[in-house]
């Protein structure tokens, strides 16, 4: 959702800030006050082309900043449009291409207006709306189709690899089989390199170590004799003075430690011996390991992991090549199953479309388009990840006229009401924030009240912003902003309480201070809240 919007020097807006609520927010003001500048700021943040003419008279560049919350993180977006030169776009402080803003924010915000590119004109968006209305059986049909699609794609990939370079796969199999076998033949385990290096180092320096240890052994034997004498002397003194027992204990400990060390060194001397055959074997093993490291990894662990990966690849390639004789049949069977499941999914979608058309038509009638006709043209198409269907949304404002593609035949006000009707009919997850421009074109009276109620109803599902001239629509909003024009500049303010009554009175009768107008505005607010 849109959490914050700030505009500087865009058109007549020197500086403006709004913080839309999660529900229904309206923006009102006199004609020409600059309300659409706020929507133009949102269009800039969505990556649309910038126009230097949009830069206002209050500086050399226009700046639009927005803070969006997608439920998992906050996104800070900035667009700077200079009077001369190219615009700049920033996402979370990093400079990006303007198109990247549209890609990132495309699922978060959609502006519904006469000249905006609407998602409902795209087949994939329409399919998502339809799939959101599938019943349990239809949902199962879609799940089975998606599973069959993945299997079909996997079979095609296998067929392409086998048909494209069978000899290449055979060569790869020979290579990885050799690699896996070479590593396995070494018979190595994790930690063997450290153990072998330690043992080889001992054997390489056995003579030097034995000489040093023998000298140490002689010295230790002399020390052991002296520590025994120290213990005897202290015991005699402690027999006279008991306070010296602590020193006796320490001397006894020193004597025991010395004799223990003496035994260890004597054992080392006895075990140290030159063993040329074992050393040569270790050197060969270490050389072989270094050769494996040169080819497969910097450490023994990396070499072993490479060997495991190569062994798994051998199994995969053997399985793939083994299926070469049956791969064509597998692809054909997978495709036939996919087509059959696609037909079943199309039938389920057709049933859902009937329900959407019926409910959306009721909403359109309530929104002042009683003669409008809404239909979904669904036709078989090449199988894809979303089904084997092509869907186009068709519309006519009068059933006596031929229906056409929505983008070709619907006016700005009709487009806005059409999107509103569809979102109310499907109640499916979609864009987090919907912004309506010109939704009230040609609407008044009871239809205006119905429009306000339906926008408020939609705002329970997503964030809704609306620029409107209708007090009946504005009265249903939970947050209300007014754009005031003064000379060459305009300001934006949030209105509540008496200020809101004043604005609604202006919208009703053009007399903001009229008691009758304020009374009617209060009645309108009360009716919207009931």
């Amino acid at each position: 959702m849109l959490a914050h919007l700030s505009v500087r020097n865009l058109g007549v807006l020197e500086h403006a800030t709004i913080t839309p609520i999660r529900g229904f927010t309206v923006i009102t003001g006199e004609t020409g006050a600059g309300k659409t500048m706020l929507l133009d700021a949102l269009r800039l943040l969505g990556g649309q082309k910038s126009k230097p003419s949009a830069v206002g008279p209050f500086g050399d560049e226009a700046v639009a900043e927005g803070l969006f919350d997608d439920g998992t993180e906050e996104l800070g977006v900035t667009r700077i449009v200079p009077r001369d030169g190219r615009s700049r776009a920033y996402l979370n402080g990093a400079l990006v291409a303007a198109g990247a803003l549209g890609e990132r924010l495309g699922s978060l915000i959609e502006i519904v207006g006469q000249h905006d590119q609407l998602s409902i004109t795209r087949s994939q968006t329409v399919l998502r709306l339809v799939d959101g209305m599938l019943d349990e059986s239809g949902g199962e049909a879609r799940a089975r189709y998606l599973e069959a699609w993945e299997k079909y794609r996997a079979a095609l990939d296998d067929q392409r690899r086998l048909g494209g370079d069978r000899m290449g796969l055979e060569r790869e199999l020979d290579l990885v089989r050799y690699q896996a076998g070479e590593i396995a033949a070494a018979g190595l385990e994790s930690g063997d390199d450290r153990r072998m290096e330690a043992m080889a180092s001992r054997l390489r320096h056995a003579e030097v170590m034995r000489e040093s240890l023998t000298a140490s052994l002689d010295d230790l034997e002399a020390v052991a004799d002296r520590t025994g004498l120290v213990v005897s002397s202290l015991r005699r003194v402690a027999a006279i003075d008991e306070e010296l027992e602590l020193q006796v204990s320490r001397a006894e400990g020193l004597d025991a430690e010395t004799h223990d060390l003496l035994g260890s060194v004597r054992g080392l001397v006895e075990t140290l011996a030159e063993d040329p055959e074992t050393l040569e074997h270790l050197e060969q093993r270490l050389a072989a390991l270094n050769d494996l490291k040169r080819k497969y990894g910097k450490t023994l662990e990396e070499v072993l992991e490479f060997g495991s990966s190569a062994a798994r690849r051998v199994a995969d390639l053997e399985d793939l090549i083994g299926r070469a004789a049956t791969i064509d049949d597998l692809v054909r069977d997978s495709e036939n199953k996919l087509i059959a499941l696609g037909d079943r999914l199309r039938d389920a979608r057709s049933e859902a479309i009937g329900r959407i058309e019926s409910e959306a038509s009721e909403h359109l009638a309530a929104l002042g388009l009683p003669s409008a006709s809404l239909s979904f043209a669904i036709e078989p198409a090449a199988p894809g990840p979303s089904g084997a269907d092509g869907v186009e949304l068709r519309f006519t404002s009068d059933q006596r006229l031929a229906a056409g593609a929505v983008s070709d035949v619907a006016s700005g006000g009709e487009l806005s009401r059409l999107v509103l009707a569809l979102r109310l009919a499907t109640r499916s997850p979609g864009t987090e924030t919907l912004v309506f421009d010109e939704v009230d074109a040609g609407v008044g009276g009871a239809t205006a009240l119905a429009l306000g109620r339906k926008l408020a109803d939609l705002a329970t599902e997503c964030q809704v912003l609306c620029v409107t001239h209708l007090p009946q629509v504005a009265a249903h909003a939970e947050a209300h902003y007014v754009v005031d024009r003064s000379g060459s500049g305009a300001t934006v303010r949030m209105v509540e309480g008496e200020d809101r009554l004043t604005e609604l009175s202006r919208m009703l009768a053009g007399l903001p201070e009229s008691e009758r107008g304020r009374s009617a505005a209060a009645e309108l607010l009360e009716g919207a809240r009931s």
Side-chain angles (χ1 to χ4, degrees):
M1 61 169 281
L2 174 64
H4 180 87
L5 175 66
S6 178
V7 178
R8 296 196 301 276
N9 195 33
L10 184 63
V12 296
L13 294 177
E14 180 177 6
H15 184 271
T17 298
I18 65 173
T19 54
I21 62 170
R22 184 172 291 277
F24 183 21
T25 299
V26 292
I27 302 168
T28 65
E30 295 279 6
T31 300
K35 300 183 295 299
T36 57
M37 289 294 102
L38 293 173
L39 301 195
D40 287 343
L42 289 175
R43 291 183 177 100
L44 286 172
L45 295 180
Q48 291 192 22
K49 185 178 180 180
S50 62
K51 297 179 180 179
S53 59
V55 179
F58 310 104
D60 294 328
E61 60 183 21
V63 180
E65 296 178 297
L67 181 64
F68 295 84
D69 185 350
D70 67 357
T72 58
E73 64 173 331
E74 289 186 336
L75 300 173
V77 184
T78 301
R79 190 79 180 275
I80 300 175
V81 182
R83 197 178 303 279
D84 298 308
R86 298 172 60 88
S87 71
R88 303 187 301 279
Y90 298 86
L91 182 61
N92 285 340
L95 184 65
V96 298
L101 299 183
E103 294 174 4
R104 186 64 184 87
L105 299 182
S107 63
L108 296 180
I109 185 168
E110 180 175 6
I111 301 175
V112 185
Q114 176 71 54
H115 304 293
D116 292 292
Q117 294 294 320
L118 296 183
S119 62
I120 61 169
T121 62
R122 297 190 289 268
S123 180
Q124 291 303 312
T125 301
V126 178
L127 279 176
R128 284 196 295 271
L129 286 174
V130 173
D131 287 349
M133 290 293 288
L134 292 173
D135 57 19
E136 183 177 353
S137 176
E140 180 186 353
R142 185 172 184 273
R144 291 190 61 188
Y145 176 88
L146 291 176
E147 181 181 354
W149 168 255
E150 293 301 326
K151 291 181 179 179
Y152 174 63
R153 285 292 303 274
L156 278 180
D157 288 343
D158 288 350
Q159 184 187 53
R160 190 177 301 112
R161 293 166 65 195
L162 284 169
D165 192 6
R166 171 69 180 272
M167 293 178 63
L169 290 176
E170 294 281 5
R171 288 194 299 270
E172 184 183 358
L173 176 59
D174 287 342
L175 174 61
V176 293
R177 184 180 283 150
Y178 170 80
Q179 292 170 332
E182 183 181 26
I183 295 172
L188 294 166
E189 295 181 358
S190 181
D192 278 355
D193 52 345
R194 293 184 294 275
R195 288 188 289 270
M196 289 191 299
E197 187 58 52
M199 185 179 299
S201 178
R202 178 180 295 182
L203 289 173
R204 293 187 195 107
H205 305 93
E207 183 177 355
V208 174
M209 290 176 63
R210 188 170 57 253
E211 291 176 357
S212 297
L213 286 173
T214 299
S216 298
L217 185 61
D218 293 339
D219 293 336
L220 279 172
E221 288 175 344
V223 171
D225 290 340
R226 304 303 298 175
T227 56
L229 293 175
V230 171
V231 170
S232 298
S233 297
L234 288 176
R235 282 175 179 170
R236 287 195 297 272
V237 176
I240 300 171
D241 187 348
E242 293 181 354
E243 292 185 1
L244 297 177
E245 285 295 337
L246 177 60
Q247 281 69 26
V248 174
S249 297
R250 294 176 64 185
E252 289 174 343
L254 179 60
D255 183 60
E257 181 66 24
T258 301
H259 280 81
D260 183 62
L261 178 58
L262 179 63
S264 298
V265 173
R266 185 178 289 118
L268 287 173
V269 171
E270 293 174 355
T271 58
L272 275 175
E274 295 184 32
D275 189 347
E277 291 184 2
T278 300
L279 178 59
E280 182 180 2
H281 175 70
L282 286 172
E283 297 286 14
Q284 291 173 351
R285 293 266 288 165
L286 287 170
L289 173 57
N290 288 331
D291 186 53
L292 293 176
K293 288 181 179 180
R294 180 179 56 81
K295 291 188 286 186
Y296 304 122
K298 295 180 180 179
T299 66
L300 174 57
E301 284 67 28
E302 290 182 5
V303 171
L304 294 174
E305 175 56 33
F306 188 98
S308 298
S309 178
R312 292 191 295 269
R313 182 62 178 157
V314 167
D316 291 342
L317 287 171
E318 287 176 343
D319 177 67
L320 179 60
I321 294 172
R323 289 188 286 121
T326 60
I327 191 64
D328 292 339
D329 292 337
L330 178 61
V331 170
R332 190 181 308 108
D333 291 344
S334 298
E335 184 177 19
N336 290 337
K337 184 176 181 179
L338 187 67
I339 292 173
L341 290 172
D343 292 341
R344 180 182 169 188
L345 177 56
R346 187 178 309 112
D347 292 340
R349 283 171 168 169
S350 296
E351 292 180 7
I353 283 172
R355 296 194 299 273
I356 296 173
E357 290 175 343
S358 176
E359 188 171 344
S361 295
E362 292 179 8
H363 288 301
L364 286 172
L367 292 170
L369 297 172
S371 299
S373 174
L374 170 69
S375 61
F376 294 78
I378 182 169
E379 297 179 353
S386 58
D389 304 315
V391 181
E392 182 182 58
L393 187 60
R394 305 181 71 81
F395 176 78
T396 178
S397 58
D398 191 322
Q399 296 178 10
R400 293 171 297 180
L401 302 175
V406 167
S407 58
D408 296 333
V409 301
S411 67
E414 290 169 343
L415 277 171
S416 298
R417 281 175 274 175
L418 179 58
V419 170
L420 177 56
L422 277 174
R423 288 295 295 262
L424 289 169
T426 58
R427 296 291 184 178
S428 58
T431 308
E432 291 290 328
T433 299
L434 278 174
V435 183
F436 290 95
D437 188 17
E438 301 184 39
V439 69
D440 54 8
V443 172
T447 300
L449 285 172
L451 177 59
R453 284 194 297 269
K454 289 186 181 297
L455 284 167
D457 189 19
L458 178 61
T460 63
E461 306 285 336
C462 65
Q463 184 185 47
V464 175
L465 278 76
C466 179
V467 172
T468 183
H469 294 280
L470 296 178
Q472 296 93 331
V473 171
H476 283 83
E478 299 164 85
H480 189 158
Y481 286 88
V482 177
V483 180
D484 296 314
R485 178 75 177 265
S486 177
S488 62
T491 58
V492 179
R493 59 191 172 92
M494 185 176 186
V495 292
E496 298 177 293
E498 292 298 319
D499 289 339
R500 190 176 187 193
L501 284 177
T502 300
E503 173 63 10
L504 289 175
S505 177
R506 180 199 65 76
M507 298 174 73
L508 279 165
L511 300 171
E513 301 302 329
S514 166
E515 287 300 323
R516 289 185 179 181
R518 292 171 69 83
S519 177
E523 184 177 354
L524 193 60
L525 276 175
E526 185 64 28
R529 292 167 181 165
S530 61

